[in-house]
């Protein structure tokens, strides 16, 4: 299945750089991490303004909910179920891969949950940064470990 047509993009400035939100007529399709400080991104069409404002609110208030209409086309039923379960983990809390698998209705599928996290094209919105290893180590992150630590500190679940 080919990717749907991206009909809008919207840059969101944060202290760490400029995120890019991209969407289709169905909703937010992709979140891209900042490439570096000082980068500039232009918006194309204004379809993402509402989503951008919600995203900005999250970076100003770590407890803010990131409730956005998402385009999950191309995701499997398993991935969607895992993402729904993950979105119920509140800011400031973390969950292990195995606990998330169980919560999503797939006990014993921790590795498959890890695969779903790697495929998550909506990081921050689908908060895969909140998923850690059973032993408390952070694990990997699509935006890099620096961003995972930043987001967990921002939400108050990482003190260091």
């Amino acid at each position: 299945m080919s990717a749907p047509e991206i009909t809008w993009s919207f840059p969101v400035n944060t202290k760490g750089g400029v995120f890019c939100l991209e969407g289709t007529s169905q909703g937010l399709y992709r979140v891209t991490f900042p490439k570096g400080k000082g980068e500039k991104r232009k918006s194309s069409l204004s379809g993402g303004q509402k989503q951008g404002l919600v995203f900005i609110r999250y970076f100003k208030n770590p407890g803010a909910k990131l409730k956005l209409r998402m385009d999950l086309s191309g995701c499997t039923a398993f991935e969607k179920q895992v993402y729904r379960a993950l979105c119920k983990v509140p800011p400031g809390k973390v969950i292990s891969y195995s606990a998330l698998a169980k919560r999503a209705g797939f006990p014993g599928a921790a590795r498959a949950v890890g695969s779903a996290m790697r495929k998550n094209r909506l990081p921050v919105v689908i908060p895969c940064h909140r998923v850690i290893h059973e032993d408390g180590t952070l694990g990997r992150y699509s935006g890099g470990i620096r961003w995972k630590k930043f987001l967990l500190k921002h939400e108050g679940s990482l003190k260091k």
Side-chain angles (χ1 to χ4, degrees), residues 21 23 52-53 61 77 92 97-98 144:
L21 309 182
L53 292 173
N61 174 9
Y97 291 93
S98 59

Side-chain angles (χ1 to χ4, degrees), residues 8 24-29 51 67-71 122:
W8 58 265
T24 68
S25 59
Q26 300 301 308
L28 183 63
Y29 183 77
Q51 288 87 343
K67 288 207 168 228
L68 297 168
R69 194 171 58 132
M70 297 179 275
D71 179 346
L122 293 169

Side-chain angles (χ1 to χ4, degrees), residues 8-153:
W8 58 265
S9 66
F10 192 82
V12 177
N13 292 305
T14 71
K15 290 179 184 178
V18 183
F19 281 84
C20 185
L21 309 182
E22 297 176 312
T24 68
S25 59
Q26 300 301 308
L28 183 63
Y29 183 77
R30 180 177 25 242
V31 174
T32 307
F33 280 94
K35 292 179 178 36
K37 292 194 179 209
E39 92 182 278
K40 301 270 192 248
R41 290 185 180 178
K42 293 184 179 181
S43 62
S44 65
L45 305 176
S46 59
Q49 285 182 319
K50 182 178 179 181
Q51 288 87 343
L53 292 173
V54 171
F55 208 75
I56 290 166
R57 192 172 333 131
Y58 165 80
F59 278 102
K60 289 184 177 182
N61 174 9
K65 295 274 186 181
L66 274 168
K67 288 207 168 228
L68 297 168
R69 194 171 58 132
M70 297 179 275
D71 179 346
L72 296 178
S73 59
C75 295
T76 66
F78 172 82
E79 290 164 350
K80 289 175 185 177
Q81 193 159 334
V82 169
Y83 296 157
R84 278 192 295 273
L86 178 55
C87 286
K88 293 178 182 173
V89 175
K93 301 291 183 190
V94 293
I95 190 168
S96 70
Y97 291 93
S98 59
L100 180 56
K102 186 176 181 180
R103 184 180 284 192
F106 302 100
R111 287 180 184 248
V113 165
S115 179
M117 296 303 101
R118 281 188 297 282
K119 293 178 184 177
N120 178 11
R121 63 178 184 257
L122 293 169
V124 184
V125 178
I126 297 175
C128 52
H129 59 278
R130 296 181 191 148
V131 184
I132 62 171
H133 290 283
E134 196 81 38
D135 65 4
T137 57
L138 297 182
R140 296 182 181 170
Y141 189 60
S142 62
I145 195 67
R146 178 181 78 81
W147 272 105
K148 186 167 190 166
K149 286 179 179 178
F150 173 86
L151 293 167
L152 291 173
K153 284 178 186 175

